[in-house]
Amino acid sequence: MRLLHTSDWHLGRSFHRVGLLDAQAAYLDHLVATVRERDVDAVLVSGDVYDRAVPPLAAVELFDRALHRLADAGVPTVMISGNHDSARRLGVAAGLIQRAGIHLRTDPAGCATPVLLPDPHGEVAIYGLPYLEPALVRDELKAARAGHEAVLAAAMDKVRTDLAQRAAGTRSVVLAHAFVAGGEPSDSERDITVGGVAAVPAGVFDGVDYVALGHLHGSQIVSERVRYSGSPLAYSFSEATHRKTMWLIDLGPGGEIGAERIDCPVPRPLARIRGRLDALLDDAALERHRDSWVEATLTDPVRPAEPMARLAGRFPHTLSLVFDPERGPDDPLASYAQRLRGRTDEQIAEDFIAHVRSGAGPDEEERGVLSGAIDHVRVQDGVREVTR
């Protein structure tokens, strides 16, 4: 069975105020063409279909057209909600849409109810695990703790229980939206940390033939059977080195895995350039970035006059300007951002306490209170997003 694994469309998202709907439409054209040209048997979409819980109308219309085209192609599509999606909104009319071969999995209660697709070698059971916000699903899944690993483990126990009751030789696929250990994040994913931990071990998914992951925006291999497709477009300059692709997965009769990366259309390349302004304007080697979206980091000790206008004269598509003067981290003139770079929210809060106490940082009990408060804010933000 040939599967096309994609995720993190983020329909409706912009890139530094540049609208991406046309680029997202071109990607979906490419996806449908790939489905037809490569004889794909099923499409897997592993969450974050939209960029926010209440997407703009143009993004909803784009999604609607994509569903109609996939249905017209006669190829089943299995799709889960991600942490950016409103599971309730995405799942509206799921039962009706299923009749057209579009299987929306947005309710955690259905994580052990697979989509069953036959081929000449038997059935393939495809399980969709929507993004599992621990604070919302712990009780429903009877998880031991309110953490990502615990709720995913509970969901996978249900999957393995169902799979064990199916005919011998039934192959299995799981879609999940999570941060799995070994994956490399970028700047454009929303933080899903709970209890100081965001990542879950890949071993949570043991026992299935293929795991189609979403959430991290770089295409990557956690193991032969556990992969991220990544986002089809770059959504931050931290993705400048990414090769944006989909996974074309051939699932053999005995669960063997064959994998091929299918490149996605690139609306405009990204470039990150760094140096003093005059040097950036004069460096002939940078001419290749004239048509790129550019993030320029200026290292001039003193901020130069009209830097954005001067950069745009050479690089018309400059979108981001960062100042990082050539100073040591202990320099009193170092920027606030420089001093905080690489520090967690907990570390910043602890630094503040040490500052107001003239050097005495928080004790263990106070650290626990701080960590709990920060987790509470993160969880509540996540809950509001997925329940809107």
Side-chain angles (χ1 to χ4, degrees):
M1 182 171 289
R2 176 163 285 183
L3 310 170
L4 186 63
H5 168 198
T6 176
S7 72
D8 295 275
W9 295 355
H10 288 280
L11 299 181
R13 188 164 184 158
S14 60
F15 184 78
H16 290 269
R17 301 175 303 282
V18 175
L20 291 177
L21 271 178
D22 287 346
Q24 290 171 335
Y27 162 69
L28 292 173
D29 289 344
H30 172 66
L31 182 147
V32 174
T34 301
V35 166
R36 294 182 181 276
E37 294 167 5
R38 300 301 299 270
D39 296 322
V40 170
D41 296 306
V43 176
L44 313 178
V45 186
S46 299
D48 281 354
V49 174
Y50 292 119
D51 189 56
R52 55 182 186 267
V54 185
L57 180 58
V60 177
E61 291 172 340
L62 183 57
F63 176 63
D64 181 62
R65 291 197 299 272
L67 293 190
H68 276 84
R69 295 170 69 189
L70 288 168
D72 288 344
V75 175
T77 298
V78 185
M79 182 178 296
I80 62 172
S81 50
N83 63 301
H84 279 249
D85 298 309
S86 167
R88 292 180 180 178
R89 284 186 168 84
L90 187 63
V92 167
L96 183 62
I97 294 171
Q98 183 168 300
R99 298 180 188 178
I102 307 294
H103 306 271
L104 296 172
R105 292 293 190 261
T106 63
D107 185 353
C111 64
T113 303
V115 177
L116 297 173
L117 301 179
D119 72 4
H121 307 287
E123 285 188 325
V124 176
I126 303 180
Y127 299 88
L129 277 55
Y131 171 67
L132 301 174
E133 174 55 56
L136 291 178
V137 304
R138 175 187 178 180
D139 292 340
E140 182 176 0
L141 295 177
K142 296 181 173 56
R145 296 176 302 282
H148 290 294
E149 181 178 354
V151 296
L152 272 170
M156 283 302 303
D157 284 345
K158 294 180 180 295
V159 167
R160 283 185 284 264
T161 298
D162 179 84
L163 187 59
Q165 298 170 5
R166 301 202 172 269
T170 299
R171 290 156 294 161
S172 54
V173 174
V174 166
L175 284 73
H177 195 86
F179 185 174
V180 175
E184 183 65 32
S186 63
D187 292 343
S188 53
E189 299 108 9
R190 182 176 294 158
D191 184 14
I192 59 171
T193 301
V194 174
V197 178
V200 301
V204 165
F205 299 104
D206 285 351
V208 296
D209 293 308
Y210 183 68
V211 181
L213 293 175
H215 181 57
L216 300 186
H217 288 182
S219 177
Q220 48 202 298
I221 303 170
V222 178
S223 71
E224 180 192 12
R225 299 186 181 275
V226 181
R227 299 170 187 253
Y228 282 99
S229 67
S231 60
L233 298 170
Y235 293 118
S236 72
F237 277 103
S238 66
E239 300 168 56
T241 59
H242 287 188
R243 175 187 166 195
K244 294 301 183 181
T245 61
M246 304 177 285
W247 282 112
L248 191 67
I249 301 295
D250 286 319
L251 185 61
E256 306 90 344
I257 295 293
E260 177 186 349
R261 291 178 72 179
I262 305 293
D263 288 297
C264 299
V266 178
R268 193 179 293 279
L270 306 187
R272 303 180 99 172
I273 60 177
R274 179 184 180 89
R276 298 194 178 196
L277 179 58
D278 288 341
L280 297 180
L281 297 177
D282 294 337
D283 188 347
L286 297 180
E287 185 62 24
R288 67 186 188 279
H289 298 314
R290 175 172 289 277
D291 293 324
S292 301
W293 279 323
V294 170
E295 178 187 74
T297 299
L298 301 185
T299 60
D300 302 71
V302 177
R303 183 174 300 210
E306 300 183 331
M308 193 60 151
R310 293 167 66 188
L311 281 165
R314 184 178 186 193
F315 308 105
H317 305 287
T318 302
L319 299 182
S320 176
L321 186 58
V322 179
F323 292 96
D324 188 14
E326 296 167 345
R327 298 192 180 105
D330 297 327
D331 190 308
L333 296 179
S335 72
Y336 183 67
Q338 285 176 294
R339 296 197 300 273
L340 297 186
R341 185 173 298 140
R343 303 187 68 74
T344 66
D345 292 341
E346 286 87 348
Q347 289 170 328
I348 294 168
E350 291 175 13
D351 287 349
F352 173 76
I353 292 173
H355 172 72
V356 298
R357 288 179 174 171
S358 301
D363 58 28
E364 287 303 313
E365 182 178 356
E366 291 169 331
R367 284 194 181 93
V369 172
L370 279 173
S371 179
I374 291 170
D375 274 351
H376 177 76
V377 172
R378 288 176 181 147
V379 167
Q380 291 307 307
D381 284 346
V383 168
R384 282 193 293 271
E385 190 69 15
V386 300
T387 58
R388 287 179 68 184

